[in-house]
Amino acid sequence: MTHRPLEAISPDLDAEMDYLGSVVLLDEPEKTEAIGLLEASDFGDLLTRVAFECVRALSDDGKPVDAVHLNDAMQARRGADGGTTAQFIVDIMERVPSPCNVAYYAQLVREHARKRLGLMAAQDVVRVLSHPGSNGKAVSAMQAAHDRVGQALEEMKAPPTTAPSTEWPEFPAVWRGSAAIWREWQQGTTEAPECFQFAAWLTAYSVAIGKSAWTVSGQRLYPQFLCALVGPPGRSRKSTVIGRATAIARELRPDLFVLNNWGSAEGALAAIANHAAADPFVLLSQSELMCLLRKTLGTRDTAGGGASLVCDFYDKADGVIENAVRGGTVRVERLWVSLLGGITPENSGRLYSAQGVDCGLASRFVPFLGRPAQRIARPPMPSDSGREAIVRHMAKMAAMAGAVKEFKLSDEAEQLHARWYCGLPEEEDFSSRLCPHVLRLALVFAVDRESPVIEPEDLLAAIEVGGYWGACAEAIYATWGAGKVERMRTRILELVERAGEVGATVRELQKRLGGGRLNVETFDQAWERLVRTKAVRVGSDGRRWVRG
């Protein structure tokens, strides 16, 4: 069996194979959710459609969806030979840059399927009307075309998996000092958005300063940040930005311990403890932050769980972190951690889910939501002279900061801070720690000016960036995070109310909300909240649900 288009319109074979490879590589329950994103009819290639049908059959039968079982299932299908299927499975698994981008690949497949429906309808009409004596068939051909176009239009009504352009906040014009030098050094060498370049500059500078300088707000605030680069896969160049920032950070602090793409907070802490018993400087370099979040948020309620441990990384730079492990306890003192990680917009919703907000993890991250910059066909490497200038400047300013140690706000900056702080929202949400984030950034701006005092200009620039962080968090929360669950909850309630006293089964509700394209995880979260709050209840037949 070889790749063969099922219609005259060529399929998006790359997207179909990337999607299938992602499904095979994903862990449960992400695998089940990913399978529900598409239908077999969305695939325009015979081999990928057969593979998807086998994947869905394995999942429905409760069997593992892995390379071995998929190979056996495809060989059992008529017309599939062992050599072709085995090579096909190897191809789809080796080509996937990250299985966490499965929703993006599914979106590409769906969009191509919609176009295919419309084009096939047009082809049907042309084929019938172009032959003599076709009048008798014209009516049925037009009706069939009408049905296909109607189906395509229904598909296009499905909610997009990327945020509307109006929801992407614009990064403020705070480029000055070494931040401006960094931007100029990187300009024309990558398609990454400018906000990502600011995050890279901030990460490298914070590593250079470390614990040698701080400001005070109830406790010592060191310039450490957990930065999340939120952008679409591919052209936003998150990995490029992370790699360049990490390289500069290593030059600035030779004793820096870099942990690349760690899968769990517990494992990272154990590695840190083995590296140094006390006062370690650590940079978590995560090209795919979702790998860490998946396990972190899955263990938030356990003693020393992943979420609370990441919170400790951020909170206990002057304290002790302990975590129980099999065979003993891991203990690290005065741990200084910064993080620079990349994640797609869809996956960032996990961080800003109800779980991520409730456990406090979301409020400790600073998000940078950015679209790719202008395309560059063959980007050159950044200049060595620019790199040397950046390293030299940052090292000099960090040495100055070490001589000052405690940075205080001027009287004017103190008054400005009080006015701004009192104007923040009362509710405790993902922006509840915006104040310490802003003060940390103001400290970095003061260091960059070679000043021992945080002046209003430093604080004003930091407040602008803080407003950007808050807007990013709100956009992610509303579009991909807990806001998405709340919208699903409202839609379910509307359907239940419309069903009246007759009620509706869970399967009927899921079918009306999108069937195979329904986001199962979002539905389950919304349904669990409806049942827990008694907004819905089981009807008299014990099977159908009605309004509570």
Side-chain angles (χ1 to χ4, degrees):
M1 180 182 283
T2 57
H3 290 291
R4 188 166 71 249
L6 290 164
E7 294 94 10
I9 297 91
S10 298
D12 187 347
L13 191 57
D14 287 339
E16 293 182 6
M17 294 180 69
D18 287 342
Y19 165 81
L20 290 168
S22 298
V23 169
V24 174
L25 293 172
L26 279 173
D27 297 328
E28 297 291 352
E30 287 83 2
K31 193 188 295 283
T32 303
E33 179 188 349
I35 293 171
L37 293 174
L38 295 175
E39 298 287 349
S41 58
D42 291 326
F43 291 82
D45 179 79
L46 178 60
L47 188 54
T48 57
R49 183 176 291 187
V50 169
F52 178 78
E53 290 171 345
C54 292
V55 163
R56 173 159 283 180
L58 289 170
S59 178
D60 291 344
D61 294 341
K63 297 178 181 178
V65 182
D66 55 25
V68 174
H69 286 82
L70 180 57
N71 185 47
D72 292 343
M74 291 184 69
Q75 288 189 39
R77 294 287 297 264
R78 183 178 180 181
D81 63 88
T84 301
T85 56
Q87 185 58 49
F88 169 75
I89 293 169
V90 170
D91 290 344
I92 64 173
M93 293 177 68
E94 287 185 346
R95 64 181 286 123
V96 179
S98 172
C100 298
N101 298 330
V102 65
Y104 173 74
Y105 304 137
Q107 180 185 358
L108 294 179
V109 174
R110 277 201 307 271
E111 289 176 349
H112 208 80
R114 295 168 190 164
K115 296 175 183 177
R116 195 164 59 245
L117 277 171
L119 290 172
M120 288 167 59
Q123 284 185 340
D124 287 345
V125 175
V126 172
R127 185 167 53 250
V128 172
L129 297 180
S130 61
H131 291 285
S134 62
N135 291 340
K137 299 179 180 178
V139 174
S140 59
M142 292 295 287
Q143 184 60 51
H146 178 272
D147 293 342
R148 275 189 168 178
V149 171
Q151 184 181 351
L153 288 173
E154 285 298 318
E155 288 287 331
M156 292 177 182
K157 293 178 182 177
T161 57
T162 55
S165 58
T166 54
E167 296 185 23
W168 293 60
E170 184 176 349
F171 190 74
V174 293
W175 299 98
R176 58 188 212 178
S178 64
I181 298 173
W182 184 290
R183 181 176 65 164
E184 184 178 353
W185 170 51
Q186 291 292 311
Q187 201 163 28
T189 68
T190 176
E191 296 170 329
E194 285 194 342
C195 61
F196 288 6
Q197 300 298 353
F198 187 88
W201 167 81
L202 183 59
T203 300
Y205 220 153
S206 67
V207 167
I209 299 169
K211 287 186 179 179
S212 65
W214 62 83
T215 189
V216 175
S217 180
Q219 62 177 5
R220 285 183 176 180
L221 297 179
Y222 299 105
Q224 60 183 129
F225 299 90
L226 307 182
C227 297
L229 308 182
V230 185
R235 261 203 338 117
S236 58
R237 308 303 182 206
K238 298 184 288 289
S239 297
T240 299
V241 171
I242 293 168
R244 291 178 183 179
T246 301
I248 295 295
R250 287 182 188 272
E251 284 195 59
L252 290 165
R253 184 173 290 277
D255 62 339
L256 180 68
F257 184 39
V258 178
L259 285 174
N260 290 303
N261 298 318
W262 211 259
S264 72
E266 294 87 347
L269 185 65
I272 294 166
N274 290 334
H275 172 73
D279 293 343
F281 286 86
V282 178
L283 174 61
L284 294 177
S285 177
Q286 300 282 139
S287 60
E288 186 45 75
L289 187 55
M290 185 61 186
C291 298
L292 176 63
L293 291 180
R294 186 183 295 121
K295 292 186 178 180
T296 297
L297 290 174
T299 58
R300 73 181 181 96
D301 293 324
T302 62
S308 63
L309 205 51
V310 174
C311 292
D312 284 347
F313 288 170
Y314 182 79
D315 296 338
K316 295 187 176 180
D318 283 330
V320 177
I321 301 177
E322 292 185 340
N323 187 59
V325 296
R326 188 179 301 173
T329 300
V330 175
R331 175 187 172 94
V332 178
E333 300 177 10
R334 291 177 51 78
L335 172 63
W336 186 96
V337 174
S338 268
L339 181 148
L340 186 60
I343 193 167
T344 63
E346 293 82 2
N347 288 334
S348 67
R350 179 70 66 91
L351 179 60
Y352 290 92
S353 63
Q355 184 185 11
V357 172
D358 291 346
C359 70
L361 192 63
S363 64
R364 287 167 172 84
F365 275 81
V366 289
F368 293 83
L369 183 58
R371 293 188 181 279
Q374 186 176 0
R375 286 184 179 274
I376 304 174
R378 295 183 61 195
M381 291 294 292
S383 68
D384 289 338
S385 59
R387 177 184 55 78
E388 291 168 0
I390 286 286
V391 171
R392 188 165 54 248
H393 178 87
M394 287 185 173
K396 177 185 176 183
M397 296 301 104
M400 178 278 299
V404 176
K405 298 201 179 296
E406 183 174 346
F407 281 62
K408 296 183 178 181
L409 276 72
S410 68
D411 292 341
E412 294 83 357
E414 191 72 62
Q415 294 171 12
L416 172 63
H417 178 264
R419 291 195 302 271
W420 169 74
Y421 178 76
C422 292
L424 288 175
E426 291 292 333
E427 59 270 15
E428 286 288 311
D429 57 8
F430 43 80
S431 62
S432 60
R433 285 181 175 79
L434 190 57
C435 182
H437 294 325
V438 165
L439 286 174
R440 285 178 163 96
L441 179 55
L443 166 64
V444 176
F445 281 140
V447 170
D448 198 50
R449 286 193 305 105
E450 202 171 359
S451 169
V453 179
I454 298 173
E455 297 289 355
E457 62 182 280
D458 306 314
L459 189 58
L460 278 171
I463 288 173
E464 280 196 73
V465 178
Y468 166 81
W469 287 334
C472 287
E474 289 174 5
I476 296 169
Y477 180 87
T479 309
W480 302 288
K484 180 176 64 174
V485 177
E486 186 57 33
R487 289 194 300 275
M488 178 66 73
R489 177 182 173 278
T490 301
R491 292 171 66 193
I492 294 173
L493 272 179
E494 289 174 353
L495 290 175
V496 172
E497 288 177 348
R498 199 178 303 163
E501 296 182 1
V502 176
T505 66
V506 172
R507 182 174 290 277
E508 287 172 346
L509 292 171
Q510 290 177 333
K511 187 175 181 180
R512 293 171 191 171
L513 289 167
R517 289 176 178 78
L518 175 67
N519 187 308
V520 179
E521 182 180 12
T522 303
F523 179 90
D524 289 345
Q525 291 175 8
W527 184 253
E528 186 272 334
R529 193 172 302 176
L530 287 168
V531 174
R532 177 162 42 85
T533 58
K534 299 182 180 179
V536 295
R537 60 180 175 83
V538 181
S540 57
D541 66 349
R543 192 172 65 90
R544 306 179 76 82
W545 293 79
V546 296
R547 192 73 163 85

